[in-house]
Amino acid sequence: MFAGPVVLAPETAVHFVHETLGHTLEADNYRTYGAGCGLALGTKVSVPHLDVVDGPRAGLESSRPQDDEGHPCLSTPLVEAGVVGGVLTDAAEARRQRLPRTGNGRRALGAARALPRMSALHVSRGTTPAAELIRSVCRGLYCRGAWGGGSVEEFFAVRPAYAEWIEDGELTGAYVYGFDLKGRKTSGLRALREVGDDMGVFNPVTGCGKDDQELPVSMCSPSLGFDRLHAVPIGRPRATPQPADGGGALGPLRIVDRHRQEV
């Protein structure tokens, strides 16, 4: 297992935000566990330069003028300046929790009822040059791509496609495969250090599943830099080289060189 500095490229960062904030602040999840696991409204959960909004946005294909209950889709701040600022509601949960309706009542084709769901999730661009996020890391991982992720109450998981090892602020050409980023949502959010000045837009072909309903959720995000995340190997551990590093060794993660040959 590796525990230390991690930089997420935009296509990986969107999955981190989707799993840690998006699902937790859907009103039914907020009621059952979100408020109680450290993500209650008004709680400071991350750096003051983190702003996350769900709602209509140009370029995000899942944006719509109204939800499946006929309510206008609003731009709902989930996190403002690092503080939890909103909850995504359908009609039933808005009534139950006395929260504003946000236009997030969505149902899959043929489903009997709508659920509070993300629609179009966007993270605001920061001011730190994306390259500087990497240069500021002594030893750590630069994660690219994503095979998906998961949200189980207070815990999250994100599976990058791969990572490249950073040494003294430089990408080394040593690639790491076969791992998940895992942990408590609040710990991951508190570990966020910088928000990049770049931006990536993602309109997934596959949907986001919840209660046997699968729906598209478009997302956009800049790169994100963390002081410490945990990378946990998938499946059977492997013995591999372990660079000396104060933040945690690479352990049994699979490392290959730039030609994709095992070292």
Side-chain angles (χ1 to χ4, degrees):
M1 184 179 76
F2 168 82
V6 171
V7 178
L8 303 183
E11 67 272 15
T12 319
V14 292
H15 286 77
F16 174 84
V17 175
H18 180 105
E19 304 299 350
T20 57
L21 290 169
H23 276 305
T24 311
L25 296 175
E26 292 169 333
D28 50 352
N29 294 334
Y30 180 79
R31 171 173 51 81
T32 56
Y33 67 82
C37 77
L39 286 168
L41 285 165
T43 304
K44 180 176 173 56
V45 293
S46 196
V47 291
H49 36 285
L50 178 66
D51 294 287
V52 181
V53 175
D54 184 272
R57 184 181 178 93
L60 297 184
E61 294 177 1
S62 59
S63 294
R64 294 189 299 172
Q66 63 182 32
D67 68 7
D68 292 319
E69 298 177 308
H71 194 276
C73 293
L74 306 179
S75 182
T76 305
L78 299 182
V79 172
E80 296 181 279
V83 176
V84 178
V87 175
L88 305 176
T89 60
D90 63 349
E93 287 294 337
R95 287 193 302 270
R96 182 171 187 169
Q97 300 184 59
R98 298 183 180 178
L99 292 168
R101 285 188 69 177
T102 63
N104 288 89
R106 304 182 66 196
R107 63 166 63 86
L109 185 65
R113 64 189 182 96
L115 300 170
R117 302 290 301 271
M118 287 173 276
S119 59
L121 194 67
H122 38 104
V123 184
S124 297
R125 183 182 282 108
T127 59
T128 303
E132 181 59 31
L133 297 179
I134 295 170
R135 284 195 295 268
S136 65
V137 173
C138 181
R139 295 181 178 90
L141 297 174
Y142 177 49
C143 298
R144 300 295 310 268
W147 293 112
S151 167
V152 180
E153 297 189 352
E154 65 193 280
F155 299 98
F156 78 93
V158 173
R159 182 166 295 179
Y162 65 94
E164 188 170 355
W165 179 248
I166 305 168
E167 187 84 24
D168 295 327
E170 299 286 342
L171 295 173
T172 63
Y175 292 93
V176 184
Y177 295 88
F179 67 95
D180 289 331
L181 300 172
K182 289 184 174 182
R184 293 183 184 274
K185 295 171 181 177
T186 50
S187 297
L189 290 163
R190 285 196 299 266
L192 180 64
R193 171 174 47 88
E194 296 292 347
V195 179
D197 65 354
D198 54 346
M199 183 63 69
V201 176
F202 305 95
N203 292 299
V205 175
T206 56
C208 168
K210 177 179 177 179
D211 291 356
D212 298 321
Q213 294 192 38
E214 188 167 307
L215 290 166
V217 177
S218 297
M219 302 171 281
C220 65
S221 174
S223 298
L224 299 176
F226 297 81
D227 286 326
R228 185 180 178 90
L229 290 179
H230 289 81
V232 181
I234 299 167
R236 190 174 181 178
R238 306 171 57 100
T240 56
Q242 298 193 19
D245 97 89
L250 283 179
L253 301 184
R254 183 183 178 197
I255 311 170
V256 299
D257 68 13
R258 62 173 53 88
H259 300 296
R260 299 178 66 87
Q261 300 298 310
E262 289 192 34
V263 293

